[in-house]
Amino acid sequence: MAHTALRSPPRTTTIIGSGHMSAFSPLKTSAFTAFSTPARRASDNANMGSSSSDVERISGIAHAQQQQYNRAVSSPGVGAKIPLPLPDKYAVDDDDDDDFEIDDEKRRAKASLDVFFAKVLRLAAVRLADICARLHVNQEVTRRAFQICEFVVFEKTSLLYNRHLDQIILASIYGACKIASSEQDRNVKFKDIVYRYHKQPQCVEEVFWSCPLTVTNPGLEVVSRGDIIAFYNKQFVPNVRPFMLQLRKGGGGGAG
């Protein structure tokens, strides 16, 4: 699965915040998949961890693949194949399927990845909306933060390699604040975001104090680490800047 670039699932995401609903459809949209974030209420804490087990299970699979790669590199057998570098993104254009028929194995892999991405984005939507609500930022910031997060998941998947989903969420919120039209929202600092993140039950300090900065590919070995600000400046912005500039100019975004 890790070595095949697969088409992203249709994307139509709905999030409820500040008492009203806003539709997120930054990329290609379809009625096939929809995610919804409940309004802030007492059950939010339970919702924030609802898909954590699925994400952790996939993370365990990735760790096993990393160990398998390390063994293959350290002591390759006769005729052994060293895994190719992991792709920068898994999303490919729908038109790619017109040129050839997808075999059953790739179809099953794509279906599994579609389900996994749906769970990841639903979990991200819940956590992101909660932080934005605690920050009292404009709904525009919440919408753009999710668009950035979704762009990373589908178009810059490599940013997730050996990193925590919450690191992408925190960086997406900060990036959305920096391109906000309101001066008050633009003045939001990382420490403000991290403070609100502390209120979430899954919060761990390693998420914002020990972010992988350099990761080998495909070995996924962490070469260097830094705090969330270093990750944002050195890895996140170089990969997401064009999309953020597009959002600031008022485009909802097509990215694939």
Side-chain angles (χ1 to χ4, degrees):
M1 182 179 72
H3 305 297
T4 305
L6 301 175
R7 182 178 57 197
S8 62
R11 283 161 268 177
T12 300
T13 307
T14 302
I15 188 169
I16 302 175
S18 303
H20 63 282
M21 183 179 297
S22 297
F24 290 157
S25 54
L27 309 177
K28 298 178 181 178
T29 59
S30 167
F32 178 79
T33 303
F35 316 104
S36 65
T37 301
R40 291 184 61 204
R41 57 181 183 271
S43 60
D44 273 355
N45 286 351
N47 291 327
M48 284 177 209
S50 60
S51 301
S52 296
S53 58
D54 298 285
V55 177
E56 291 170 358
R57 178 175 57 83
I58 299 298
S59 299
I61 295 173
H63 179 68
Q65 291 175 338
Q66 175 182 335
Q67 291 182 324
Q68 181 181 7
Y69 168 81
N70 293 339
R71 289 193 297 268
V73 172
S74 60
S75 57
V78 178
K81 295 182 179 180
I82 297 178
L84 297 174
L86 299 172
D88 183 57
K89 70 173 184 177
Y90 283 121
V92 296
D93 293 335
D94 294 344
D95 297 338
D96 291 351
D97 289 343
D98 297 338
D99 299 329
F100 61 89
E101 182 178 355
I102 301 178
D103 58 39
D104 290 339
E105 183 178 356
K106 288 184 178 179
R107 193 182 305 277
R108 288 194 297 269
K110 177 191 177 300
S112 298
L113 195 60
D114 287 355
V115 172
F116 172 63
F117 277 163
K119 290 176 180 291
V120 169
L121 282 176
R122 186 162 189 263
L123 181 63
V126 173
R127 295 178 177 179
L128 183 151
D130 177 76
I131 294 174
C132 288
R134 294 178 188 274
L135 286 168
H136 301 291
V137 293
N138 191 287
Q139 187 67 19
E140 169 200 56
V141 174
T142 306
R143 181 176 64 254
R144 287 180 173 179
F146 185 86
Q147 289 175 324
I148 294 170
C149 189
E150 186 180 40
F151 174 79
V152 170
V153 169
F154 288 113
E155 307 296 336
K156 294 294 180 179
T157 317
S158 59
L159 281 176
L160 285 165
Y161 294 162
N162 223 353
R163 295 189 176 96
H164 199 291
L165 176 63
D166 289 355
Q167 292 165 345
I168 303 301
I169 293 173
L170 299 179
S172 297
I173 295 174
Y174 185 75
C177 288
K178 294 300 103 177
I179 60 174
S181 56
S182 166
E183 182 178 356
Q184 179 179 349
D185 292 338
R186 290 196 302 271
N187 288 333
V188 171
K189 296 178 172 55
F190 250 124
K191 66 178 182 180
D192 302 322
I193 299 172
V194 169
Y195 177 77
R196 272 69 179 188
Y197 173 63
H198 264 291
K199 306 295 184 181
Q200 297 190 346
Q202 84 287 349
C203 171
V204 289
E205 292 191 353
E206 287 78 5
V207 167
F208 49 87
W209 283 125
S210 184
C211 304
L213 298 182
T214 307
V215 180
T216 61
N217 187 356
L220 300 185
E221 294 285 352
V222 177
V223 178
S224 63
R225 292 181 179 272
D227 60 20
I228 188 67
I229 298 176
F231 166 68
Y232 178 84
N233 290 328
K234 296 180 179 180
Q235 293 295 332
F236 193 83
V237 171
N239 281 279
V240 184
R241 183 194 297 273
F243 185 69
M244 289 172 57
L245 292 177
Q246 183 178 349
L247 289 177
R248 186 171 65 179
K249 291 178 182 177

